[in-house]
Amino acid sequence: MKLALNKTGSRDDPPIGKYGPLYTAHKKVHPQSVCGTFRTIKWQLMVGCLGIYYLLPFVRWRRGLGAPDQAVLLDFPNRRFYFFFIELWPQELYYFTGLLVLAALALFLINALGGRIWCGYLCPQTAWTDLFYAVERWVEGDRRDRLRAAARPMTVGRAAKRVLKHAVWLMIAWWTGGAWVLYFADAHTLVRDLATFQAPAIAYIWIGILTATTYLLAGYMREQVCVYMCPWPRIQAALTDEWALNVTYKYDRGEQRCSLKKSFDLRARGVKIGDCIDCNQCAAVCPTGVDIRNGAQLGCIQCGLCIDACDAVMTKIGRKSRLIGYDNDINIRRRMEGKSEVFKPVRPRTIVYASLISVVCATMLYGLLSRTLLDVNVLHDRNPMAVKLSDGSIRNGYTVRLLNKRGFDRVIAIDIDGPPQTSVHIVGVDSVTVERPMIVLARDTTTELRLLVTAPADDTSERSMPVTFRVTDIGLGEVASATDHFVFP
């Protein structure tokens, strides 16, 4: 539709009511409690995930003398990440990149199999919102109680319940923020320092920030986060296909809707009606206020609570369960045509995702198992690149960085493979030039050395030749090497 221009040539904007509002006004959702298979799964996953999050910082793991004994620790001051027996250095940032790629591919695979299962069961927003809903029901009652209370004037009793509810919410949010900072310092020490007000100011600041965000997102914004703030529903819509299983109202069986009383009379007269009795229980239990009978919607997080609610109603009235279930439109059309259902969890899309996940996992595992805990890097001097000494020999200077990732000191020998009859002098360590110098490399550190490599005068016309620096752990036999060039003036 084209909009007319007024006499001044500008566009006349239509009234908002003509085309609808630009956004939907917020409507408070009061989901009803429900029992069933999917609700039980959600409870179990919520308890498991939140239990790991809250308690994992207190798990201990012995790594030897002088090393932190916290199982999971992101140690920024010492630039280390500890995860049980794994210790990662800043040079191994590619492992974190691999984890991010792995997480993305896992989300793609989950989406191809069962839609937004992540959103409905494992998303942190869903987990904390479920916990806040449980507190709200415990304090203020279930859906009907809250709706009746909202329609009445405020009383002292209601005010006391509301204060209690928000106090519990704040306590959960505070412990959520507090648990997060425990991953960045020794948990036992930091808890004691926090309690005695001796912790660093940055710890209190981050606890305050995370407390506020958890309280607002899980207590007030709730479904608004899923519908408006989270990008995953929009990404998921672009990644899904027709074979993905989503929470679906099986309209081939549910329509035409009819109340339970009328259904007996209509069926007795031979009128074909559906199993849906229009009880609205599926919409009443939805945490985002979605009526799944209206089809796939952006607000549906695929949590399956509507399935439990509908199954409970179908069981009570003696009809077959799973009027709402994990299904797709292909099977609905096949049933309407009298054909059998077809499910394709294994198809090109899922095979590609699973294969990529396997490749990334195998690559990361191989890199982790084959990585060396001794490393060497060499940087040639730039000015001058070579010096001719009074006896005619040629000297090149190098900066060598040695990395010892083990938790104990090592005795390291340095060998040079390059020009014949070369000798090495470590500036500041030895006073003489030797063929194979040895040093003690401190544990869990990077050591920088200044090496002067001297070779006899060369009569060839070559301006440079490769030189390999090989460091060997005398005790363990571990070897690391790096290659550069020996330059002739």
Side-chain angles (χ1 to χ4, degrees), residues 24 93 201 226 239 250 255 267 283 316 339 381 416 441 456 482:
T24 303
L93 188 63
C226 302
L239 292 173
K250 302 175 183 179
E255 302 294 329
R267 288 189 175 187
K316 287 180 180 178
K339 300 178 181 179
D381 286 356
I416 304 294
L441 197 60

Side-chain angles (χ1 to χ4, degrees), residues 318-333:
R319 296 180 185 175
K320 185 180 177 182
S321 61
R322 290 298 189 270
L323 176 59
I324 301 174
Y326 280 93
D327 205 346
N328 54 47
D329 288 337
I330 291 178
N331 280 328
I332 291 178
R333 290 195 296 269

Side-chain angles (χ1 to χ4, degrees), residues 260-447:
L260 183 60
K261 291 183 179 180
K262 291 183 179 180
S263 65
F264 292 119
D265 180 55
L266 292 174
R267 288 189 175 187
R269 290 187 289 168
V271 179
K272 185 178 180 181
I273 59 171
D275 284 344
C276 180
I277 61 173
D278 214 12
C279 63
N280 290 317
Q281 286 300 297
C282 54
V285 301
C286 181
T288 58
V290 166
D291 189 340
I292 194 62
R293 295 173 298 176
N294 295 331
Q297 298 161 67
L298 190 67
C300 179
I301 60 173
Q302 308 284 310
C303 63
L305 296 183
C306 55
I307 301 177
D308 288 337
C310 187
D311 284 354
V313 173
M314 292 295 106
T315 301
K316 287 180 180 178
I317 64 176
R319 296 180 185 175
K320 185 180 177 182
S321 61
R322 290 298 189 270
L323 176 59
I324 301 174
Y326 280 93
D327 205 346
N328 54 47
D329 288 337
I330 291 178
N331 280 328
I332 291 178
R333 290 195 296 269
R334 289 182 64 88
R335 288 193 298 267
M336 294 177 70
E337 295 170 1
K339 300 178 181 179
S340 60
E341 297 177 337
V342 176
F343 298 97
K344 289 187 177 181
V346 180
R347 53 188 190 276
R349 181 186 297 260
T350 58
I351 292 174
V352 169
Y353 291 151
S355 300
L356 290 175
I357 290 174
S358 300
V359 169
V360 174
C361 286
T363 302
M364 292 179 61
L365 183 60
Y366 173 78
L368 192 62
L369 295 178
S370 62
R371 69 174 182 160
T372 177
L373 298 179
L374 178 66
D375 197 12
V376 58
N377 289 284
V378 177
L379 181 64
H380 196 291
D381 286 356
R382 296 301 180 190
N383 188 22
M385 296 191 71
V387 175
K388 189 172 184 178
L389 303 180
S390 59
D391 61 355
S393 59
I394 309 302
R395 186 177 70 193
N396 283 202
Y398 302 88
T399 299
V400 178
R401 290 186 179 89
L402 301 174
L403 178 62
N404 178 16
K405 298 179 183 178
R406 293 205 179 265
F408 49 81
D409 296 347
R410 304 181 187 221
V411 177
I412 300 296
I414 302 177
D415 298 293
I416 304 294
D417 295 332
Q421 300 180 359
T422 56
S423 57
V424 183
H425 172 66
I426 304 178
V427 178
V429 175
D430 54 4
S431 58
V432 297
T433 302
V434 297
E435 293 185 359
R436 196 188 196 204
M438 295 186 184
I439 63 169
V440 176
L441 197 60
R443 64 180 182 87
D444 202 30
T445 57
T446 299
T447 302

